[in-house]
Amino acid sequence: MNKAVTPDNLTPANPALHSDKWRRISPASVIYFVMKFITGVLRGGLQSVAPVAAVLATTGDNRWFALGLLAAGAAVLLMVGAVLSYLNFKFRVDRDAFLIRSGVLTRKRLTLTFERIQNVAFREPIYFRPFNLVVLTLESAGSTSEEVNLAGIPRPLAETIRRFVLERKKETSQTAPVNVEPSNEHRSAESEPTANLLRQPVSELARYGVSNNNVWVFAGLTVGALGQFDKFWESSVMRGMFDLVGETVGTSLFALSALAVLLTFGVLLILMFASVVGAVIVNYNFHLSYTDGRYHRTRGLFERQETSVPETKIQSLKIAQPVIASLMNRSHLTFNQVGFERKQNQGRHQKFIIPSVQSEFYHQLSRRLFSGTNVLEQDLTRINGKFIFRHIVFSFGLPSLLAAGISTYQWGWQGLFFLVVPLIALPFVALRKRRHGYLMDGEHAVVRSGLFGRNLTVFPLFKAQSIKIIQSPGQRKAELASLKIKLAGQSLTIPYMDLSDARTWRSVSLQQIDTRTEPWM
């Protein structure tokens, strides 16, 4: 029978969490510190290889001997630093907080209280698997510099710590005994059975790799990187390649255009294949489940990751459907949560993504998340058509007219080409107007946007941090407005909606904020 453990009886009878004992992580964590340093060097880019370049430039015929000495010295320093990092890292679970000691040259002391811990996540790098060790990450709701990684602790201990932290967070608002026995075979009578929501096969992960927008990100990075090698494009090698192309396909405009299309298509296929491989590696064996008020996600091939998010901290559900995903009848979901926007702005990857699902799944998930709401199953209200007029005239028309006047003065009638820009932009503006839509049922709302693809965001109105009505002079005259909604995880804008709708949204949201008492932080 499990023993209910409170902060006052954390005794040696429960050795996993002895409150007076400083604990060490596993000696295998030396590998983690080595890999962490190497990763930091790789992220440093050109600055990290500057010492190597200096050696090559100054040592002449002895450069290889000097490089060997440099590599050996770096390896020794790396191992010494990793060993010292392991020796100086200690942690302890106190009554209300985690206590951490770390640092080599600069000693650090960190106290992380349970109420500030936003999430407890597991990572299982491939080099820890033979030892049944994990990296346990304690994510704080404050500064990201206070995030704690316990690298190289046994999985049973990590699971015990996670349960203890989550139960102690509950205990801060509900004075009840806490169960923190390491075994997970016995659960309290109040615990919910685990609901297995989704398992993704490799085929769905491949669809995600093909249909997400990472392909275009890779393409942009590739083009930017190639643009840095001006000397390469002017080299004899490239001139020889151009001569070979001319001899093979000819120099006619049609032949060169066809070759350019084929090469572009080939490059996109390579990038798409890379995106698929990356999606499978990151999301391999994807599993989404729900228990005790938290959504749990496990994924990863080389590094197994186990993360969870409390249901109360989910601010909105984003349903993204890029163009290729729409052809496959798939969408990609994201839980936007407290702290999401801040951490993304700091370059951290905190997205809780559910890849490649069909509409039936996200309808069920939205009903589970948001009290059975069916806003996704209703027709949305579209924005006013004056949205098109405003963008064609002010966003494209006036700038094009100004550019045409200046260009015509300098280059003659050819400058009039700029007057065609509004006509080219018209179908895209009309498509964007068609994508915009909104709906509210009194407690929950959905906002749609996009251009070629579409994004749907579902959220409870009482979680809105602010809601603002904005009117331009033209909108005031036409009884229209733009509504800006600020959530803890993102901002949403509904442009050119009827003023009466905007006022209704604002009044209902304020009423929900004043009357609803559920926790959401």
Side-chain angles (χ1 to χ4, degrees), residues 217-237:
V217 174
F218 293 158
L221 293 175
T222 302
V223 171
L226 292 177
Q228 303 299 317
F229 297 100
D230 296 335
K231 293 183 179 180
F232 173 74
W233 295 111
E234 299 172 359
S235 65
S236 58
V237 175

Side-chain angles (χ1 to χ4, degrees), residues 77-98:
L77 289 176
L78 179 60
M79 288 303 301
V80 170
V83 171
L84 291 177
S85 296
Y86 153 69
L87 292 175
N88 290 327
F89 193 101
K90 297 178 182 179
F91 69 96
R92 183 169 66 123
V93 182
D94 204 351
R95 289 175 56 94
D96 301 307
F98 255 92

Side-chain angles (χ1 to χ4, degrees), residues 87-147:
L87 292 175
N88 290 327
F89 193 101
K90 297 178 182 179
F91 69 96
R92 183 169 66 123
V93 182
D94 204 351
R95 289 175 56 94
D96 301 307
F98 255 92
L99 307 178
I100 308 293
R101 293 179 179 177
S102 62
V104 178
L105 299 179
T106 303
R107 297 296 179 90
K108 299 179 182 178
R109 302 291 185 269
L110 174 63
T111 301
L112 184 59
T113 57
F114 293 143
E115 60 266 20
R116 294 192 65 187
I117 296 176
Q118 178 179 335
N119 192 17
V120 183
F122 288 177
R123 289 187 290 122
E124 189 179 26
I126 192 170
Y127 49 81
F128 276 169
R129 291 183 186 177
F131 311 105
N132 195 27
L133 301 174
V134 299
V135 180
L136 185 140
T137 301
L138 304 173
E139 297 177 359
S140 136
S143 171
T144 55
S145 63
E146 295 184 1
E147 179 179 278

Side-chain angles (χ1 to χ4, degrees), residues 3-70:
K3 181 181 179 181
V5 180
T6 63
D8 295 328
N9 67 354
L10 284 173
T11 65
N14 184 7
L17 293 175
H18 189 286
S19 62
D20 297 326
K21 180 181 178 181
W22 287 95
R23 301 185 62 95
R24 289 189 183 275
I25 53 181
S26 169
S29 63
V30 171
I31 308 173
Y32 168 83
F33 290 114
V34 169
M35 298 301 296
K36 181 180 179 180
F37 180 81
I38 293 175
T39 302
V41 170
L42 293 177
R43 288 177 178 173
L46 295 177
Q47 295 178 353
S48 302
V49 300
V52 178
V55 169
L56 290 175
T58 59
T59 54
D61 295 336
N62 296 323
R63 63 172 58 95
W64 295 112
F65 178 73
L67 281 177
L69 288 178
L70 180 64

Side-chain angles (χ1 to χ4, degrees), residues 315-319 366-367 369-381 437-448 455-464 467 483 485 487 490 492 494 497 501 504-506 508-509 512 516:
Q315 305 302 295
S316 63
L317 173 66
K318 180 181 177 181
I319 305 165
S366 67
R367 288 193 291 268
L369 269 173
F370 306 123
S371 305
T373 182
N374 62 348
V375 289
L376 287 175
E377 300 169 12
Q378 303 180 42
D379 294 332
L380 305 188
T381 302
Y438 57 93
L439 180 71
M440 176 187 64
D441 65 1
E443 293 185 359
H444 303 88
V446 58
V447 176
R448 184 179 66 201
N455 294 317
L456 288 164
T457 302
V458 188
F459 62 97
L461 292 169
F462 82 94
K463 291 191 176 184
I467 185 164
L483 192 71
I485 305 165
L487 301 173
Q490 65 180 138
L492 300 171
I494 309 174
M497 64 189 303
D501 288 347
T504 301
W505 274 60
R506 183 176 62 179
V508 172
S509 297
Q512 287 287 309
R516 296 284 289 272

